């Protein structure tokens, strides 16, 4: 385990370093000037120039980057151009909302994806196979924002079962908070669950043709035992790898879903930061999202080695 982490740390740091450069450069490629946004419509050119100097935007880009990345290493991500509050404070205030949504969506993604994948990979009848194939294809084709709108209309407007706007923290009131989370979490999870289901279905079909499964059939093992003990266990690696990849997409999809359901999370903060050209907030959000994805990927590789003993974290031959 230690050797695995030591080998992975340099590549993870390289990814974060490249991400920090992209996070710094990309917002500045968009049209607009933060100084103009801060100064307001009535500002004179002299006012804008003074604000640019105050914010450090008149310095060379390399100097700005080195100043920012140096602060990142010390835990200082700078202050928002617009609110003049520390970026860490702004992100911290919104992080809980997005984490609650992402964790519940990830749970739904795994449960629904594995259930659909097992059903599709075990279906015998032509009608059942066709139905599950159509269902997975439909979930894959429909983007999260459309799924969110449909769920909001059906369960929040036509049948007023769940709230469709706003949020209540799970920590403040779990019973009410979960009601506000269900619709956005489902909308965020369904397309990703279909991805996992497809991969698991394909892996199960392939596993059923392996010799160890044929041996179990010859020994008279029940269909349920063969599916759960032999086929599913040897097919979960594909679903696990897909889960690590899908988590990053969950964070990206949360931006749109939070806008649809009026949640005050990191997605809403990212949208407002783009509109206001609040570079430092945007840079931190991009870096944070990639850092989370890197950590999830490392955890996925570790879990994969536990699930499949043939895989060695140290890279030694199985």
């Amino acid at each position: 385990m230690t050797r695995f982490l030591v080998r992975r740390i340099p590549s993870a740091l390289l990814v974060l370093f490249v991400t920090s450069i992209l996070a710094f450069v990309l917002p500045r490629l968009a049209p607009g000037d933060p100084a103009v946004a801060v100064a307001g419509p009535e500002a004179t050119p002299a006012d804008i120039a003074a604000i640019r100097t105050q914010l450090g935007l008149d310095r060379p880009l390399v100097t700005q980057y080195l100043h920012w990345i140096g602060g990142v290493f010390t835990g200082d991500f700078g202050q928002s151009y617009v609110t003049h509050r520390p970026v860490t404070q702004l992100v911290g205030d919104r992080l809980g909302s997005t984490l609650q949504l992402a964790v519940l969506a990830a749970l739904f993604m795994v449960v629904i994806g594995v259930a659909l994948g097992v059903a599709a990979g075990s279906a015998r009848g032509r009608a059942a196979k066709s139905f599950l194939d159509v269902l997975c294809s439909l979930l894959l084709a429909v983007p999260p924002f459309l799924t969110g709108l449909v769920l909001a209309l059906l369960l929040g407007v036509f049948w007023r079962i769940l709230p469709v706007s706003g949020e209540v923290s799970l920590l403040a009131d779990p019973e009410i908070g979960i009601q506000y989370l269900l619709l956005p979490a489902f909308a965020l999870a369904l397309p990703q669950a279909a991805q996992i289901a497809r991969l698991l279905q394909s892996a199960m079909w392939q596993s059923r043709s392996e010799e160890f499964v044929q041996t179990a059939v010859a020994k008279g093992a029940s269909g349920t035992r063969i599916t759960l003990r032999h086929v599913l266990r040897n097919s979960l690696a594909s679903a696990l790898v897909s889960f690590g990849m899908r988590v990053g997409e969950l964070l990206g999809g949360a931006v749109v879903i939070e806008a649809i359901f009026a949640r005050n999370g990191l997605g809403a903060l990212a949208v407002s930061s783009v509109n206001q050209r609040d570079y430092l907030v945007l840079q931190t959000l991009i870096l944070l999202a990639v850092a989370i994805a890197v950590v999830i990927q490392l955890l996925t590789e570790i879990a994969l080695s536990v699930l499949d003993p043939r895989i060695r974290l140290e890279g030694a031959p199985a």
Side-chain angles (χ1 to χ4, degrees):
M1 179 73 70
T2 302
R3 290 175 57 191
F4 165 78
L5 292 176
V6 168
R7 289 203 327 272
R8 288 296 189 273
I9 285 175
S11 59
L13 292 178
L14 179 60
V15 169
L16 293 177
F17 171 67
V18 174
T19 300
S20 70
I21 296 176
L22 294 176
F24 179 84
V25 172
L26 290 178
R28 287 163 173 78
L29 295 178
D33 188 341
V36 175
V38 173
E42 304 297 329
T44 64
D47 294 332
I48 296 175
I51 291 175
R52 286 184 59 83
T53 301
Q54 179 185 354
L55 298 179
L57 297 173
D58 59 337
R59 293 182 291 178
L61 290 179
V62 174
T63 303
Q64 293 182 46
Y65 172 78
L66 293 176
H67 180 266
W68 174 66
I69 201 66
V72 169
F73 283 116
T74 61
D76 180 10
F77 290 82
Q79 287 191 338
S80 166
Y81 295 154
V82 178
T83 64
H84 304 294
R85 294 175 58 195
V87 173
T88 51
Q89 191 178 92
L90 286 174
V91 173
D93 290 344
R94 309 288 190 97
L95 184 60
S97 174
T98 299
L99 280 181
Q100 291 174 17
L101 174 60
V103 169
L104 186 59
L107 179 62
F108 286 154
M109 177 181 71
V110 171
V111 173
I112 297 172
V114 171
L116 273 179
V118 171
S122 306
R124 302 281 182 165
R126 179 175 299 178
K129 288 182 179 179
S130 299
F131 171 76
L132 291 170
D133 282 341
V134 170
L135 179 60
C136 287
S137 298
L138 182 63
L139 293 178
L140 281 171
V142 179
F145 76 88
L146 185 55
T147 305
L149 291 174
V150 171
L151 289 176
L153 286 173
L154 291 178
L155 301 179
V157 178
F158 294 137
W159 299 289
R160 298 188 177 182
I161 300 175
L162 294 169
V164 297
S165 179
E167 65 178 293
V168 173
S169 174
L170 286 175
L171 300 178
D173 191 334
E175 183 178 354
I176 301 299
I178 195 66
Q179 296 179 30
Y180 280 90
L181 271 175
L182 285 175
L183 284 182
F186 266 120
L188 191 56
L190 286 177
Q192 312 303 333
Q195 294 271 9
I196 292 177
R198 280 292 194 198
L199 287 174
L200 185 57
Q201 177 190 25
S202 300
M204 289 184 66
W205 283 349
Q206 183 176 355
S207 293
R208 288 187 183 279
S209 63
E210 298 289 342
E211 291 184 2
F212 62 87
V213 175
Q214 302 302 323
T215 302
V217 173
K219 289 182 177 180
S222 65
T224 302
R225 180 181 176 84
I226 291 173
T227 298
L228 298 180
R229 184 75 179 270
H230 300 284
V231 177
L232 180 59
R233 182 176 180 180
N234 288 275
S235 304
L236 281 177
S238 299
L240 189 59
V241 172
S242 178
F243 171 76
M245 299 170 60
R246 301 281 85 80
V247 167
E249 296 185 17
L250 285 180
L251 294 175
V255 175
V256 178
I257 292 299
E258 287 181 354
I260 292 175
F261 291 94
R263 293 184 61 84
N264 196 28
L266 294 180
L269 179 61
V271 171
S272 65
S273 298
V274 170
N275 292 332
Q276 297 167 342
R277 307 295 187 270
D278 206 344
Y279 293 160
L280 295 182
V281 177
L282 274 176
Q283 292 166 196
T284 301
L285 290 175
I286 295 172
L287 192 60
L288 175 63
V290 174
I292 293 175
V294 168
V295 172
I296 293 296
Q297 186 62 38
L298 288 175
L299 294 177
T300 299
E301 292 186 31
I302 293 173
L304 186 60
S305 71
V306 174
L307 184 66
D308 189 347
R310 293 171 297 179
I311 299 175
R312 295 291 183 264
L313 289 178
E314 290 79 14

